[in-house]
Amino acid sequence: MQLQPPGFAGTVFLLANRELGARLRSPWLYAVASLICLIAFFYGGGFRRSFETETVLVTTDPLAALNVMVMAVLAGVLGLRLATSIAWEREHRTLEVLLAGPVSPEAILAAKFAGEIVVLAMLTVTHIAYLLLAQPLGPGVIGPADAAAIGRMPLHALPLLALGLLVSTWAKTVRGAVMAYLSILALLIVHEIVLAALTAQSPQDLSLAGAWVRRILTAADTVIDPLSAVARIADLTTGLSVQTPLTPAQTGMALALTAATLAAAALALRARGAS
Amino acid sequence: MTALRLILVLLIAVLARPTAAIEPEQREVTVISARVWEGHEYRETFAPSTHRDFVLMAGRDSAIAFVRTLEYYWPLSRQVYVDFKQQRDVLEGELVIRQGGREIAREKLRPFSVHYPHGAVRGEAELLWGEDAERGYSEFQENERRFVREFAAARRAHTEYERRLLEAARNQKPGEPPERIPPPPPLPEPSLRLVTQPQPGFRVMLAPGEYTLVLEQEGHPLPGTERRLRVVEAPERRELIADIVPEERWTRPLASNAPAARVYVRGGATFYMTLHEAGSFAETDYLPVVRPQAEAMPGRRIWVRRGPADTERLAVAWQGGGSTDLARAALKVEQTRGSSFGYRVRPAKGGERPDLDAFIVAAPEDASVRRGTVGTLDARFEREIIVVHPRKAAFALLIALAPIAGFLLWRLASMWQRPS
C-alpha cells in the first residue's frame, strides 16, 4: 500500500484543525469571549445611564460604536496571537520539523490564518448572540437586524491578523514578535488618533503647531493609509462620524491589504526559514 | 510717596511701546464673484484666487464674474476674505467654457439682476439677464416710488382723519350727536417683490460634468482666470426631516434627518416632533457651491432646511399596541413659579404666540410595547421609535461571564474525573 501525502488544501485543513483544537482548549478564547460580552454589558450600562437624565436619543445605530470597539479588540488580540504563532514554532524548533516535512511555508501560514479566522467568526457570533440574548441596552432594543448590522465589519479585522502573521514570520522569539507587533500597532494607532483629532477640529480652533502637524500627517497618510491595517479599522469609525454604511470599496481595500500582507508573510517565511 | 508714584508712571510711559494693529496684508488678485444656484435659492459667494476648482449646481443658471479685488488672509478664521468695498473691478472679456478640451460655450458679459417675486426672505428667485434685468429693475424702482407716494398720501389722510376726530370731539356740545367723519382708505400693503440692481456677469447653465473656464480678452486667455469647473446635479425631490424635541430640553431639538435615524425614548416619556422640508445633498457637492473654502467630508450627507412642512397629521403605530392619528398642536412653554428652573409645556391659548408647533408623541409605559413607527399618512416620512425600558442587569452580567465560567467549570470537572 502506497501512502499519498495530502495536497495543499488537505495539509492546510489538517494543520488548521490542529490549530483550532488547541485554541478551543485554551482559556484565553473563553476569556476573550467574556471580555467582549463585558464590553457590551458596560456599553449597555452607559446607554441606559443616558436615559436617567434624558428621555430621548436619536441615532441610526446605537450599536455602531460598540461594534467598532469589539472589532478593534478582537483584531488587536487575534493579531497578537498570530504574531506569536510562527515565532513560537521557531523558538521551540517545531517550525524546523514542519518545514523539513512535506509542508510548505504557505500551507503553515494559511493554516494559522484560517484557524484564527474561525476563532474570529466564533467570537463575532458570540458577540451577536450575547446582544440578542442578554439585551444589554434594554429589553427589545436590539433586534436581529440591529445585531446583524455588524455585517462586513469582521473583514476589516483581517489586515491586522495578517500583520500579526507577517511580524511572526520575521521574529526570532515570541518576546521579539510581541514587542514588534505592539510597537507597529501603537505607531499606527497614534497616527490615526492624532490625525483624526486634528481633522475633527475646525481650522479656527487649531493652533499653528496643530495645523502644521496636521499638514504633515495628512501628507504622510497618503502613503500610510493604503498600507495600514489600523486604517482599515479606522474606516469603521469614519462610518460612525458620517453616519453612512461601509462602502464595498472600503471592504475591498481591507481584503486587498490582507492578501498583500499574507503574500509578504509567505515571502518573509521563505526568506527567513526556520532559523 | 507721590514722587515715587510719579517716577513709576514716567518709567512705564518711557518703557511702553505702542501696540501694533493687526491689519492683514492685502494683495490685488483675480477672484470669482458669483450668484450661485444651490438647489432652492441664490447665494452670493466668491472663490479665492488660490482655488483652482469651482463648483456649481445644475438645474438653473448661475451668474459669475472675474473680479480684480483685494484679497487677504484672516488668521482668526483661517479663511481668505476679499475687500469688495475698496476695490471691485469686473474684468471685461468673454468667458470660454471647455469640456474635454473642446469649446462648448462662449459667453459675453451681460447685466443681470436677481428677481425675488415673494421677497428675499422666502428664497424663491430667478436671474434676469440683459434687457430683462434693466427693465425689471426699472419697474421695481418705479413700483417702489409709487408705493412711497401712495403710502405718504395715505399717511397724510390718516393724520388728517385723526386731527378732524380730535377737533370734532373738542367742538362737540353736550346733547349733540357726534359728527360723522368718514374714515380714510387703509394704508397700502408693501410689496415684497425685489429686483436687485443690475450688475455685470456671465450666465452659466451647464449639465452636470467637468469643465474648464477661462476669461479671454481679444482672443487671448487672461492669466489667473483659468479654473476647473465641476457642475453637480441638484436633487429633484425634497425630503421631510424631523426635529425631536425632548420634553426636558425643549430648546435643544435632536435632528432626525436620515430615514434610518431612529428615536430611542424612555418608556412613559413624551417628545415633540416638528417636520421640515429639506434638500438632501452629498456634502462634497453642496458645501463647495455655497462655501468654497469649507472642508467637506466625503461620504457624508447634508440636509439643508427649506422651511417648516405643512403636514397636519401623523400616524403613530405601536407594535402590539394599536395605532393613533396625531394632529399638529400649537404649544406654549410656560415657566413654573419659584426661584429654581422649571417649565411645563401646555396647549397655547387663543391669541397666544406658540413656542412650538409640533406633534406630541407619548411613548407607552407598558414594558411589552417596545417598538413603533411615526409617519405621515402618505408614507412620505417615517421614523422608527424604540421604547427603552429598564434592562435585566444581573442576567446580562451573568451571561457575559458564562463563557469563561463555563470553561473553568469544564476544566474542574475534567480534573475531578481524571484518575489520580
Side-chain angles (χ1 to χ4, degrees):
Chain A
M1 187 178 137
Q2 196 178 354
L3 287 173
Q4 291 289 327
F8 180 80
T11 311
V12 171
F13 179 76
L14 283 173
L15 290 175
N17 208 22
R18 192 196 71 157
E19 290 288 331
L20 191 61
R23 297 277 186 277
L24 289 175
R25 285 188 298 276
S26 163
W28 75 266
L29 171 68
Y30 304 94
V32 173
S34 275
L35 173 70
I36 57 171
C37 292
L38 281 171
I39 291 173
F41 173 78
F42 287 112
Y43 180 87
F47 180 82
R48 280 292 319 156
R49 254 193 303 283
S50 67
F51 281 94
E52 287 171 9
T53 51
E54 317 280 318
T55 57
V56 185
L57 178 77
V58 178
T59 176
T60 51
D61 181 8
L63 295 175
L66 172 67
N67 287 337
V68 172
M69 224 183 297
V70 166
M71 276 307 129
V73 168
L74 288 183
V77 171
L78 299 187
L80 182 64
R81 292 285 303 177
L82 276 173
T84 60
S85 60
I86 303 284
W88 190 93
E89 303 270 13
R90 186 176 280 128
E91 197 175 331
H92 291 79
R93 302 262 174 213
T94 48
L95 185 61
E96 212 171 332
V97 178
L98 279 171
L99 290 175
V103 182
S104 65
E106 289 79 17
I108 296 171
L109 289 176
K112 298 267 183 203
F113 196 67
E116 224 59 56
I117 285 180
V118 174
V119 171
L120 174 67
M122 285 167 66
L123 289 170
T124 306
V125 170
T126 304
H127 171 61
I128 293 172
Y130 177 75
L131 292 176
L132 290 173
L133 189 65
Q135 291 288 335
L137 273 60
V141 172
I142 304 166
D146 302 309
I150 200 163
R152 298 194 305 266
M153 281 187 179
L155 298 179
H156 284 247
L158 297 184
L160 209 51
L161 269 63
L163 176 70
L165 206 53
L166 175 63
V167 168
S168 194
T169 55
W170 202 253
K172 273 188 176 175
T173 61
V174 170
R175 184 187 162 85
V178 169
M179 291 304 290
Y181 174 77
L182 291 180
S183 303
I184 295 170
L185 192 62
L187 279 175
L188 293 175
I189 289 174
V190 167
H191 169 78
E192 288 295 331
I193 288 176
V194 173
L195 183 60
L198 292 174
T199 310
Q201 277 189 314
S202 68
Q204 292 93 321
D205 300 333
L206 217 53
S207 68
L208 283 177
W212 183 77
V213 172
R214 177 176 150 171
R215 207 168 158 183
I216 300 273
L217 287 181
T218 307
D221 198 54
T222 53
V223 178
I224 294 172
D225 186 81
L227 302 173
S228 168
V230 173
R232 305 289 71 81
I233 301 281
D235 283 344
L236 307 177
T237 58
T238 313
L240 282 181
S241 60
V242 297
Q243 298 276 305
T244 49
L246 276 173
T247 62
Q250 285 173 315
T251 308
M253 210 166 155
L255 293 177
L257 179 61
T258 307
T261 314
L262 287 177
L267 286 175
L269 188 56
R270 275 201 178 273
R272 188 94 185 177
S275 59
Chain B
M1 192 65 184
T2 314
L4 185 65
R5 277 184 190 165
L6 191 64
I7 289 166
L8 273 175
V9 168
L10 284 172
L11 193 65
I12 290 167
V14 167
L15 291 176
R17 288 180 182 180
T19 311
I22 299 174
E23 281 193 48
E25 187 188 336
Q26 297 188 335
R27 61 193 187 105
E28 194 181 327
V29 293
T30 304
V31 301
I32 291 182
S33 170
R35 280 275 186 168
V36 294
W37 170 249
E38 56 84 78
H40 174 70
E41 61 189 14
Y42 282 97
R43 295 271 188 94
E44 192 160 13
T45 183
F46 82 96
S49 63
T50 48
H51 278 47
R52 309 319 294 171
D53 295 294
F54 188 61
V55 184
L56 288 175
M57 201 166 278
R60 290 269 192 100
D61 52 350
S62 292
I64 69 166
F66 289 95
V67 175
R68 288 297 285 176
T69 187
L70 297 174
E71 187 183 69
Y72 59 95
Y73 176 75
W74 186 235
L76 288 182
S77 59
R78 303 254 164 84
Q79 290 213 342
V80 172
Y81 292 87
V82 284
D83 193 346
F84 280 153
K85 278 191 179 167
Q86 203 168 328
Q87 184 184 349
R88 192 180 192 284
D89 303 329
V90 176
L91 295 176
E92 300 280 340
E94 276 189 323
L95 177 72
V96 181
I97 303 170
R98 292 189 176 87
Q99 189 173 36
R102 192 170 57 87
E103 184 179 317
I104 59 157
R106 190 172 274 268
E107 285 286 330
K108 289 194 186 313
L109 204 59
R110 286 189 286 168
F112 77 93
S113 295
V114 191
H115 174 214
Y116 298 97
H118 307 295
V121 179
R122 298 270 174 95
E124 194 184 316
E126 61 172 341
L127 292 185
L128 303 176
W129 291 92
E131 286 179 8
D132 289 344
E134 306 282 6
R135 192 170 48 246
Y137 184 61
S138 303
E139 282 174 11
F140 165 71
Q141 278 187 311
E142 183 51 43
N143 288 344
E144 286 295 293
R145 278 194 287 267
R146 191 186 314 125
F147 169 75
V148 170
R149 281 197 302 271
E150 287 173 2
F151 188 84
R155 192 69 241 164
R156 278 197 299 275
H158 275 252
T159 312
E160 176 62 17
Y161 173 67
E162 284 161 12
R163 191 191 61 75
R164 286 182 64 191
L165 279 180
L166 283 171
E167 197 177 293
R170 265 198 304 270
N171 297 338
Q172 191 182 358
K173 291 178 179 152
E176 275 186 10
E179 187 187 351
R180 295 187 67 82
I181 301 167
L187 292 170
E189 284 289 322
S191 166
L192 293 174
R193 183 172 176 264
L194 171 71
V195 180
T196 61
Q197 191 175 7
Q199 53 179 308
F202 296 108
R203 184 171 186 264
V204 181
M205 188 172 173
L206 297 164
E210 304 278 340
Y211 306 86
T212 58
L213 298 176
V214 70
L215 185 69
E216 285 190 0
Q217 286 179 341
E218 295 168 358
H220 299 291
L222 199 66
T225 61
E226 303 87 356
R227 297 282 192 285
R228 283 185 296 270
L229 171 66
R230 182 163 65 95
V231 179
V232 296
E233 199 157 2
E236 291 178 351
R237 194 167 167 271
R238 281 203 188 170
E239 290 181 20
L240 276 183
I241 60 169
D243 265 350
I244 310 297
V245 182
E247 59 181 343
E248 75 282 359
R249 281 157 69 91
W250 81 275
T251 53
R252 300 289 175 93
L254 306 165
S256 173
N257 294 333
R262 290 176 284 183
V263 182
Y264 291 80
V265 58
R266 190 202 293 163
T270 299
F271 63 86
Y272 308 96
M273 187 179 236
T274 57
L275 297 186
H276 306 268
E277 297 272 356
S280 167
F281 305 88
E283 203 174 282
T284 45
D285 283 349
Y286 185 79
L287 275 189
V289 175
V290 295
R291 288 165 54 203
Q293 296 184 66
E295 282 182 33
M297 173 81 85
R300 188 157 66 190
R301 290 202 76 73
I302 187 169
W303 282 266
V304 184
R305 290 169 185 237
R306 305 306 191 192
D310 55 6
T311 310
E312 292 294 336
R313 299 195 78 77
L314 286 182
V316 183
W318 299 105
Q319 223 170 51
S323 64
T324 49
D325 272 13
L326 299 175
R328 205 168 66 191
L331 303 166
K332 188 81 187 160
V333 180
E334 192 175 65
Q335 299 297 316
T336 51
R337 290 182 181 182
S339 58
S340 57
F341 292 122
Y343 63 85
R344 68 188 180 96
V345 182
R346 60 162 175 80
K349 293 172 194 163
E352 271 186 337
R353 192 178 168 183
D355 296 312
L356 270 175
D357 194 17
F359 298 94
I360 306 170
V361 183
E365 210 160 354
D366 180 0
S368 65
V369 181
R370 293 169 178 177
R371 277 166 192 260
T373 55
V374 59
T376 53
L377 304 178
D378 60 1
R380 196 181 154 206
F381 164 88
E382 188 174 273
R383 292 289 183 273
E384 195 176 3
I385 306 172
I386 288 115
V387 187
V388 182
H389 297 291
R391 68 173 179 168
K392 295 168 183 165
F395 174 71
L397 181 62
L398 208 65
I399 300 276
L401 296 172
I404 189 67
F407 174 79
L408 291 175
L409 285 173
W410 172 70
R411 286 297 287 267
L412 279 173
S414 304
M415 280 168 66
W416 283 333
Q417 282 171 4
R418 200 176 297 161
S420 55

